[in-house]
């Protein structure tokens, strides 16, 4: 992955997170954070 692509993806993710926080509040971020933690643990188990 080149630097411009990584920068664009990072900015896109940050913008989508900011949009989600403005529209729906922080409850979704807590839920997604917990699910992401579960996914990371599950992937580490299979490594």
């Amino acid at each position: 992955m080149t630097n411009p692509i990584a920068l664009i993806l990072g900015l896109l993710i940050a913008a989508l997170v900011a949009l989600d926080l403005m529209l729906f509040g922080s409850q979704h971020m807590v839920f997604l954070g917990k699910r992401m933690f579960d996914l990371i643990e599950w992937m580490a188990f299979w490594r």
Side-chain angles (χ1 to χ4, degrees), residues 4-19:
I5 293 173
L7 182 63
I8 290 170
L9 285 175
L11 290 174
L12 180 65
I13 290 171
L16 290 174
V17 167
L19 180 66

Side-chain angles (χ1 to χ4, degrees), residues 22-40:
M22 286 190 306
L23 294 177
F24 301 114
S26 62
Q27 291 178 352
H28 291 124
M29 286 294 119
V30 172
F31 172 76
L32 290 175
K34 288 179 182 179
R35 298 294 289 185
M36 182 64 76
F37 185 71
D38 290 340
L39 176 65
I40 291 170

